[in-house]
Amino acid sequence: MAVFVALGAFLMTLAGGWTAQRVTDRRHLVLGLAGGLMLGVVGLDLLPEALEAAGTEVFGVPAALLLFVAGFLLAHLVERLLAGRQAAHGGEERDARVPEVGLTAAAAMVGHSAMDGVAIGAAFQVGGGMGTAVALAVIAHDFADGFNTYTITSLYGNARRRAMAMLVADAAAPVVGAASTLFFTIPEKLLGAYLGFFGGALLYLAAAEILPEAHHEHPARSTLLCTVAGVAFIWLVVGIAD
C-alpha cells in the first residue's frame, strides 16, 4: 500500500516540474513562487519535524537547530568553493552561479524525497489512518519539490536534459524510499538530524539565490505575491495533514 501511494507522489513531482518548465516566459514569477515554496517547506514543515524528532540538546541548543545552521553554512561554503574553482580555471563566474551547485542542491532534493517515501512507509506501519494523513501531506508538497528541483537545476545554468534527469530522479525517490521500509527503518533521531541539516541548506538557496534572482529584474508586486502564495500553499498542506 505504501509503495502504491508513493506512485501518487511520483506523478505529483513530475507535474510540479512540468509546471516550472512551461512557464519560462514568466521566469521571475516562477522563481518567486519557488522561493516561497522553499521558505514554507523549511519553516513550516522541515524545522518543526526536525525539532520534534531529534529531541536532544547540545550545550543548550537543540541538535536540529545546530544542524540547520551547519546546513546553511555548508551550502554557502560549497557555492563559494565551486565558484572560486571555476574562476581560477578561467571560467565566467556568472554571479557565482555554477552548474555544480544546482546539481548538488537538486541531489539534496532527491534525498529529501526519498525520506518522504520512508515517512509514508513508516506511517503505514503504524496504521492506515496515520499512513493516509502522511501520504496526503507528502503527495501535496511533492508538487513543490518537483517545481523546485527543476527550477534550481535550471537556474544554475544546467541544460534542460540535466534538469529533466534530476526531476525524474526526484519523482522516483519516494517510491524507492517507501519500498525500503519493507527491509529497514531509520531511527527517529537520525531522521530529525537530517531534516534540520537539509532545511538549512534549502533556506540558503531560497534566501541567498532564488528570491534575489526573482526580484533582480522584475521587482513587481506580482512576484512578491507569488512568494507569499508559495508559503501559504505549504501552510495549507501542513494544516490539512495535521
Side-chain angles (χ1 to χ4, degrees), residues 78 82 99-109 152 166 205:
V78 168
L82 290 175
E100 291 86 352
V101 174
L103 292 176
T104 302
M109 295 291 292
I152 290 172
M166 296 307 299
L205 292 173

Side-chain angles (χ1 to χ4, degrees), residues 1-2 4-5 119-137 139 241:
M1 183 62 181
F4 178 76
V5 171
I120 292 176
F124 271 103
Q125 290 178 2
V126 174
M130 174 67 73
T132 302
V134 171
L136 176 64
I139 289 174

Side-chain angles (χ1 to χ4, degrees), residues 88-197:
H89 286 79
E92 294 183 1
E93 191 172 347
R94 279 194 59 188
D95 298 325
R97 292 183 176 86
V98 292
E100 291 86 352
V101 174
L103 292 176
T104 302
M109 295 291 292
V110 173
H112 172 61
S113 293
M115 293 300 102
D116 283 346
V118 171
I120 292 176
F124 271 103
Q125 290 178 2
V126 174
M130 174 67 73
T132 302
V134 171
L136 176 64
V138 169
I139 289 174
H141 98 255
D142 272 356
F143 179 88
D145 284 352
F147 190 99
N148 289 335
T149 298
Y150 186 89
T151 300
I152 290 172
T153 310
S154 301
L155 177 64
Y156 281 86
N158 288 285
R160 181 178 178 273
R161 174 178 53 83
R162 285 188 174 182
M164 290 299 296
M166 296 307 299
L167 175 63
V168 172
D170 188 46
V175 181
V176 175
S180 72
T181 59
L182 299 174
F183 307 101
F184 64 90
T185 57
I186 296 179
E188 185 178 14
K189 289 187 177 181
L190 182 59
L191 181 60
Y194 165 78
L195 291 176
F197 184 83

Side-chain angles (χ1 to χ4, degrees), residues 196-241:
F197 184 83
F198 176 69
L202 198 61
L203 182 63
Y204 175 82
L205 292 173
E209 300 296 332
I210 304 295
L211 290 177
E213 180 73 11
H215 292 275
H216 177 61
E217 296 181 359
H218 299 273
R221 186 177 303 174
S222 57
T223 306
L224 178 60
L225 290 176
C226 284
T227 302
V228 174
V231 175
F233 173 74
I234 299 300
W235 188 11
L236 176 64
V237 169
V238 172
I240 291 174

Side-chain angles (χ1 to χ4, degrees), residues 61-85:
V61 179
L65 289 184
L66 287 175
L67 287 165
F68 173 81
V69 174
F72 188 99
L73 292 175
L74 182 62
H76 176 62
L77 177 63
V78 168
E79 183 185 45
R80 300 318 305 167
L81 287 176
L82 290 175
R85 186 182 68 178

